[in-house]
Amino acid sequence: MGKEQQPPAYGGQALVEGVMFGGKNHTVAAIRRKDDTIDYFHLPKEKNSVRMKLKKIPFVRGIVALIESASVGSRHLTFSSERYDVMPGEEIEKEEETSKLAMVLGVAAVGVLSLLFGKFVFTLIPVFLAQALQFVAPGKTAQILLESLFKLILLLTYVSLISMTPLIKRVFQYHGAEHKVINAYENKLPMTVENVQAQSRLHFRCGSSFMLFTVIVGMFVYFLVPTDPFWLRIVNRILLIPVVLGISFEVLQLTNSLRNVPVLKYLGYPGLWLQLLTTKDPDDKQVEVAIASFERLLEIEEHGAVAMEVVTKSDSETETETVPVT
């Protein structure tokens, strides 16, 4: 297939009772409301010449993409969490109760700070655990292997525990619906519930795969720097966070580009195995929401939009409220 025939690459994110999809110029979320209707939330992507240039630089573009994803994704997540469990009209009262922290820092900033804090914790806890067992595993190689093992255990344990909660389980189902929609689109299938349900809930370009790649890439990167003294090891781990993230993003892109190449496609399989935990098979109604979100995005990407639309959609009626973009 020639380059001009390649379909655009769309990304997504599972929300509380919904799915967000992002294209070149816009992001759109669709959620299932308490009255069984579907609401939409649209955000145009902000144009920034500096950011656009940075996103073209290998190893740097991954950091920019992560920060952008955390910023935009948090706004969609806030929308879904505030509206999914209330009847249409009741959300106005909830919006007035927005926390002072969100008002001061902004929802987008909170999302970015959460991403950075999580990465610091995920990186440093294994370091201390490995150091505590230095008497069992002395030496640089043993310490790095033990540190990476603890990091992997921490990741798998965290994902496994949160997947047991009913709310997160449903989020993981919507995560599966998101992947199924993307796979159906990339396979050029009509967007019907039947076609989408027949697709795999796994995808090579998933953020779950990225998380696993940070463990693997980090292990190899750490071999290039000293582990002693201990304070230097901690400093190295902190300073290398953007390096590990940047390389991991490129590995993710590489495995996605090789997914149809015999033998080489297996490079992406570890990430797919982790997705067996972070995705669940969705039901038909969840797939309907994912399809609605994706089709709305395609419509806006093609025809453009100058306003954010909040749409309540049911089988019997469709009500649209247009408000200015903030």
Side-chain angles (χ1 to χ4, degrees):
M1 181 181 294
K3 184 177 181 180
E4 69 281 1
Q5 295 177 301
Q6 293 287 350
Y10 293 99
Q13 176 182 324
L15 306 172
V16 181
E17 292 301 326
V19 176
M20 178 272 284
F21 284 106
K24 182 178 180 180
N25 300 307
H26 303 272
T27 59
V28 174
I31 64 170
R32 179 77 69 179
R33 297 296 293 273
K34 189 175 182 179
D35 63 348
D36 205 37
T37 59
I38 296 178
D39 260 9
Y40 296 86
F41 179 67
H42 160 239
L43 281 176
K45 289 188 174 181
E46 298 179 0
K47 300 297 182 181
N48 184 294
S49 59
V50 175
R51 186 169 65 243
M52 294 303 294
K53 291 179 180 178
L54 291 176
K55 291 178 72 173
K56 296 179 180 180
I57 304 175
F59 303 107
V60 174
R61 59 185 179 180
I63 309 298
V64 178
L66 277 176
I67 294 176
E68 185 178 56
S69 176
S71 174
V72 174
S74 62
R75 296 182 66 180
H76 285 282
L77 187 59
T78 298
F79 167 79
S80 68
S81 61
E82 288 181 347
R83 291 176 178 253
Y84 83 96
D85 63 342
V86 297
M87 298 294 288
E90 295 179 358
E91 67 274 0
I92 297 177
E93 297 178 1
K94 286 209 166 196
E95 288 173 357
E96 295 175 351
E97 300 172 0
T98 304
S99 67
K100 292 183 179 179
L101 176 62
M103 291 177 63
V104 174
L105 298 179
V107 175
V110 171
V112 174
L113 290 174
S114 298
L115 169 69
L116 295 176
F117 176 77
K119 185 56 184 172
F120 267 76
V121 172
F122 181 72
T123 299
L124 295 181
I125 288 180
V127 176
F128 286 96
L129 292 176
Q131 178 69 14
L133 295 177
Q134 191 174 32
F135 66 95
V136 177
K140 178 177 180 178
T141 299
Q143 277 290 291
I144 292 176
L145 292 176
L146 189 59
E147 179 183 337
S148 300
L149 177 61
F150 278 133
K151 189 177 294 186
L152 179 61
I153 293 174
L154 183 63
L155 173 61
L156 296 179
T157 301
Y158 172 74
V159 173
S160 298
L161 288 177
I162 65 172
S163 67
M164 295 179 184
T165 64
L167 178 62
I168 299 301
K169 182 179 179 180
R170 287 192 63 81
V171 171
F172 283 179
Q173 285 180 292
Y174 278 105
H175 191 190
E178 172 213 330
H179 286 180
K180 283 174 176 281
V181 165
I182 293 295
N183 283 325
Y185 170 78
E186 292 180 344
N187 289 326
K188 300 181 179 180
L189 296 174
M191 283 294 163
T192 65
V193 172
E194 182 179 7
N195 286 340
V196 172
Q197 283 285 35
Q199 304 303 302
S200 170
R201 74 175 199 260
L202 312 179
H203 197 284
F204 279 82
R205 209 171 58 245
C206 176
S208 300
S209 297
F210 174 79
M211 289 191 298
L212 185 61
F213 288 146
T214 62
V215 176
I216 300 173
V217 169
M219 180 181 67
F220 288 104
V221 171
Y222 297 155
F223 278 117
L224 303 177
V225 296
T227 56
D228 294 311
F230 186 58
W231 68 265
L232 181 59
R233 183 177 179 181
I234 294 177
V235 172
N236 283 334
R237 296 302 182 265
I238 294 175
L239 294 179
L240 287 173
I241 286 178
V243 176
V244 172
L245 293 177
I247 297 176
S248 299
F249 182 83
E250 300 303 323
V251 172
L252 180 69
Q253 298 296 98
L254 176 64
T255 56
N256 180 63
S257 66
L258 298 175
R259 60 180 173 171
N260 295 319
V261 180
V263 181
L264 293 180
K265 66 180 182 181
Y266 295 110
L267 292 173
Y269 273 41
L272 297 182
W273 295 335
L274 180 59
Q275 290 177 45
L276 294 175
L277 292 177
T278 62
T279 65
K280 303 294 181 184
D281 285 317
D283 59 34
D284 288 350
K285 296 190 69 174
Q286 290 170 321
V287 169
E288 287 177 358
V289 174
I291 292 175
S293 176
F294 190 67
E295 290 185 334
R296 168 68 59 164
L297 173 65
L298 294 182
E299 178 184 346
I300 293 178
E301 284 281 294
E302 180 179 357
H303 301 293
V306 295
M308 178 182 73
E309 293 182 333
V310 179
V311 182
T312 302
K313 179 181 178 183
S314 66
D315 294 334
S316 59
E317 61 179 357
T318 300
E319 179 183 350
T320 303
E321 177 186 1
T322 301
V323 296
V325 177
T326 57

